Amino acid sequence: MKNLLYILLLLPTLVFGQSGEGYINYKSYKTHYGNGSSSTYNGVSYGGGADSSAEFDAMVDTNQPGTTLTHSGEVSPYGTTGLYGGAAPRWGGDYYATVYSGWFKPNKSGTYNIKTYADDSSETRYREAGTTTWQYMTYQWGCCSNVFGTATLDNTKWYEFEFRYQEYGGANYYYFGYSLPANSSSPIYNWISSNHQFGTWTNIDPSGTSTEIDPEVDFQFEFQSNIQPEKYRFRVYYDATNEQDGTVWYNTSTTNTSYYLDNDGTKDITDYLNLVKMNDGKKATTAGGSVEWCVVYDYDSTNKRYRVGIDKREFPSGFTFTDLKQLKLFDLWDDEITYMSDDAYWANYYIYTDTQFNFTNSTFSSYIRDANGFYGMKAEFSFEDVEIYKGHKVTFMSPSTNIEGWTSTEFIDDYVTVADVVSAFSELAGGGINGGYKGDLNGVQLQNADVNGDKKFDFQDTFKLLKFLQGEENLTTNNSLSQIMRPVPKSVYDGTTTSNWSTQSNYSPTTNIPFSLVYDSIQQIQYKVGFLGDVNLSHSAAQTNNTTTSARMMSVRNSSTQNTTLLEVNLDIEQTEEHIIVTLDLPENNFNLVGSEFRIGFDNERVEYDKLETSTTMNTFDAKRETYIKIGSISVDGSMNLNGGVQYKIYFKPIQSFDSTLGLVSVKKSEVVDKNANIINVIIK
Amino acid sequence: MRKSLIFLLLILLSCQKDELMVVEPYPQYEMIFEESISKVVDGQEFSFEVSTTEEHTLIISHENNSVITKESFTPTMGLNTRVLYTKSLPKGELNLSLVNVGEEIQKTTIIVE
């Protein structure tokens, strides 16, 4: 709870663009667990103030359990949040580290004198754009005095920089100052400001090689037409674990905000994403060299992989070999690798691939030697951090706060009706004595009909549906939205057939929709939404290119007993000394009705349900809810029908005396269905 | 002197006890069928006049005329007052009609909020 509060209160919305000139990037980390404790990861530890560059690296490594990236974005280099104060957004006043990065081009050529002032340890370093080795203007391990250094710069070149400092406790700041080359023999220092800019600063790679653009994510949820998408609310969460294992999720909004879908079920959630990246190991890149630092053993066709050995002398000091997760090996491979082992001389990895390398035709073939059993590679290695976006998910909330009187049970009552139950029984019974299905239901309907989720549609499911209809059991454990809502990727939903319905993905109901962010992409994520138990698809999205009719309405004309396309049901409400009696008379007909269902609402503060009497011998039910009662009849095997008509008398007991009864009870819904699960229109008279 | 007398007279008049007019409130009847549409609330009384004492029926129905609820009663000649309970009714616009011997004699629209 404490962690959650911390995140909700202190983590800002971490969505920033990159504005270019006049701005630099920053990242702020909570370090030392936020309480001063030391941290260790893979044998590398840090504690207190940074005493070396390696310890500083560890301090800002989010793989360390004590380190969490809390803020990132861009600031002006000239102000207090930038290089004149170091007060970029951060989680607190102690136990943090801030890293400024970007590129600068100095105003003058020559040797600058540099002065920095930081509390606690700091490193002020740079490198010519396109090179890999940091050069230090200044650094200080510990606290906290003016530190001096030099940098010889060319005002026609861009330089990449990384200025970082960390705070353990007490005062906290970072200042960058300089003296122009013209004054190198007798420096005149100025702290950086808008009047003393030092040069041009930018957070967009001036080489133009960095084209990384944050992703845009548009969701589209397709519901059945009688569902109001704009009533559905959701929150956006990100995976807060270093392992990205989905065990801890935080709302991307610091205020735990939720959002409504648009009327058409769409929503652009780009503004709600957490675009702070995290380290995900290292990537090695190779260039042709003069020494065979690398060997690739012959292809293992059994396991479909190559074993790659890299000479340990190619790795930086202190490198954690298990962190190497990607490899660009000449033009042969540029993807993930799997750590195998390492010994005193070699670090070994697997490359899993179904396709063997074409060593002979590689443009780097002059660096490759076929050694009969392995290939020697004259390769020089460089290493870089791999950064990934955190996992995300959208989680739907119950619409009970948006739709007056909405409860999941009532919602299920809306879509699991006598027509669904008849349809389910008909599908099973229609297979004949040899079993099998009748063939009326499509793949999505079969998924919805499998209400116990065992990936088999059988009589266990139909009787579960029947018991729900009759009010004897919940459809699920607690009838919550997360147990009935089934969002499925559109292509999967539309591709669900009677053959693959039980093996399709996204089978289990859920209100969580996970998704990954992809660099420089516009992600249009399309889902269709179905509901568990909705056998006739009255409330589930229709499949595209599927001709199965949902909630089939019958339009036949009954010519003998009732010469109309409607079935008129007579309603009478009378008050006796003890009861208010609702009488429904379904007349003689020839629709071969095997099911009926009426929902009778009642004012539960003034009357209470007592009993049901009926004239039919068909299986009759009365399911009591808080404000209504479901009554009706059903013949699950179709052996009986209501052609002879039926009368239902529903008795309510007044809780108080009444002179008037108008509105105390009401007929809220009605449905009758024939043995083929066709719904016959009903009008109450 | 004359001014003093007038002033004295004004003082005397001003000291007289106020004569308050007690007005008996007329019974307020919501003549619901005189309005083409009206909002209703739970437990609301409404009134209407009938010209016979035969059994009448109040019917609330959807726009498609499917009946939601009804109440049959034997009225008194002239003004009748009934009570409408709305908690079990659907929200929105509904028809309210008064029927006598199968003939609809009054009709209006009610809005249940």
Side-chain angles (χ1 to χ4, degrees), chain A residues 80 82-88 90 93 96 98 100 116-122 140 143-146 164-167 169-176 191:
Chain A
T80 56
L83 306 180
Y84 183 70
R90 56 186 181 239
Y96 71 85
T98 297
Y100 295 102
T116 57
Y117 181 44
D119 187 343
D120 292 312
S121 299
S122 69
Q140 183 176 44
C143 186
C144 18
S145 57
N146 285 319
R164 60 187 188 181
Y165 80 106
Q166 58 94 197
E167 169 59 22
N172 48 90
Y173 46 81
Y174 174 90
Y175 292 92
F176 174 82
W191 294 123

Side-chain angles (χ1 to χ4, degrees), chain A residues 182-198:
Chain A
N183 303 318
S184 60
S185 59
S186 181
I188 302 171
Y189 291 101
N190 286 296
W191 294 123
I192 191 169
S193 71
S194 55
N195 293 325
H196 300 282
Q197 296 186 354
F198 177 72

Side-chain angles (χ1 to χ4, degrees), chain A residues 107-324:
Chain A
N107 287 335
K108 305 292 182 184
S109 292
T111 300
Y112 279 83
N113 285 279
I114 305 296
K115 178 175 74 171
T116 57
Y117 181 44
D119 187 343
D120 292 312
S121 299
S122 69
E123 290 182 325
T124 302
R125 57 189 188 171
Y126 70 105
R127 59 191 176 194
E128 190 173 334
T131 64
T132 56
T133 304
W134 289 114
Q135 299 181 65
Y136 286 78
M137 295 179 177
T138 66
Y139 66 89
Q140 183 176 44
W141 310 126
C143 186
C144 18
S145 57
N146 285 319
V147 185
F148 299 91
T150 60
T152 301
L153 304 171
D154 182 338
N155 68 354
T156 66
K157 292 181 178 178
W158 285 99
Y159 298 87
E160 188 180 1
F161 73 91
E162 187 177 81
F163 299 172
R164 60 187 188 181
Y165 80 106
Q166 58 94 197
E167 169 59 22
Y168 186 74
N172 48 90
Y173 46 81
Y174 174 90
Y175 292 92
F176 174 82
Y178 67 94
S179 171
L180 291 171
N183 303 318
S184 60
S185 59
S186 181
I188 302 171
Y189 291 101
N190 286 296
W191 294 123
I192 191 169
S193 71
S194 55
N195 293 325
H196 300 282
Q197 296 186 354
F198 177 72
T200 303
W201 303 81
T202 182
N203 58 0
I204 295 177
D205 187 346
S207 69
T209 56
S210 176
T211 57
E212 189 176 290
I213 300 173
D214 285 334
E216 175 181 331
V217 177
D218 299 316
F219 263 104
Q220 182 179 29
F221 292 96
E222 186 176 329
F223 291 84
Q224 226 279 351
S225 58
N226 58 8
I227 300 278
Q228 297 173 283
E230 70 275 16
K231 298 290 187 184
Y232 280 76
R233 234 171 7 143
F234 63 90
R235 291 191 171 115
V236 183
Y237 294 90
Y238 69 92
D239 188 338
T241 63
N242 286 333
E243 299 78 15
Q244 292 290 283
D245 58 9
T247 56
V248 180
W249 295 89
Y250 289 140
N251 195 321
T252 57
S253 161
T254 55
T255 54
N256 206 27
T257 304
S258 57
Y259 315 97
Y260 288 95
L261 291 177
D262 294 335
N263 290 350
D264 59 358
T266 63
K267 195 71 175 182
D268 179 353
I269 64 165
T270 304
D271 289 345
Y272 315 139
L273 302 174
N274 180 348
L275 296 176
V276 174
K277 294 176 198 143
M278 61 180 292
N279 287 335
D280 186 36
K282 305 281 186 182
K283 177 178 181 177
T285 302
T286 53
S290 56
V291 179
E292 289 182 354
W293 296 116
C294 175
V295 292
V296 177
Y297 293 89
D298 282 353
Y299 186 65
D300 176 354
S301 56
T302 303
N303 296 302
K304 296 184 183 303
R305 68 191 182 192
Y306 286 102
R307 175 184 165 190
V308 179
I310 303 173
D311 191 305
K312 280 190 164 182
R313 287 172 287 184
E314 280 294 279
F315 291 91
S317 174
F319 193 91
T320 304
F321 300 105
T322 52
D323 279 353
L324 185 60

Side-chain angles (χ1 to χ4, degrees), chain A residues 599-633:
Chain A
R599 187 184 296 187
I600 312 299
F602 61 94
D603 183 338
N604 62 355
E605 293 180 355
R606 296 182 171 107
V607 299
E608 60 186 13
Y609 173 67
D610 186 14
K611 62 182 178 181
L612 168 70
E613 291 178 351
T614 179
S615 61
T616 183
T617 55
M618 191 185 283
N619 178 28
T620 298
F621 60 88
D622 59 340
K624 186 177 180 301
R625 307 299 192 206
E626 189 174 345
T627 59
Y628 61 89
I629 182 110
K630 288 192 307 180
I631 65 104
S633 305

Side-chain angles (χ1 to χ4, degrees), chain A residues 404 570-573 575 601-606 627 656-668 670 682-685, chain B residues 42-43 46 58-62 64-73 81-91 96 113:
Chain A
E404 187 178 356
N570 191 58
L571 167 68
D572 185 57
I573 300 174
Q575 183 178 16
F602 61 94
D603 183 338
N604 62 355
E605 293 180 355
R606 296 182 171 107
T627 59
Q656 62 190 72
S657 61
F658 297 103
D659 292 328
S660 299
T661 61
L662 186 65
L664 287 174
V665 293
S666 63
V667 180
K668 299 175 88 77
S670 56
V682 170
I683 189 165
I684 308 294
K685 300 302 263 186
Chain B
D42 184 49
F46 63 98
L58 286 161
I59 298 174
I60 295 176
S61 58
H62 291 289
N64 68 357
N65 292 323
S66 190
V67 175
I68 299 166
T69 189
K70 58 174 64 171
E71 177 186 21
S72 297
F73 61 98
T81 299
R82 312 294 297 176
V83 178
L84 174 59
Y85 301 100
T86 62
K87 281 192 66 178
S88 83
L89 299 180
K91 303 286 189 283
L96 172 64
E113 291 187 326

Side-chain angles (χ1 to χ4, degrees), chain B residues 30 32 35-44 60-61 63 68 84-87 89-96 107-113:
Chain B
E30 179 76 23
I32 199 163
E35 304 291 336
S36 61
I37 186 168
S38 53
K39 290 182 181 176
V40 294
V41 297
D42 184 49
Q44 175 178 325
I60 295 176
S61 58
E63 283 186 350
I68 299 166
L84 174 59
Y85 301 100
T86 62
K87 281 192 66 178
L89 299 180
K91 303 286 189 283
E93 288 190 11
L94 304 172
N95 298 325
L96 172 64
K107 185 177 182 182
T108 187
T109 301
I110 58 174
I111 300 173
V112 179
E113 291 187 326

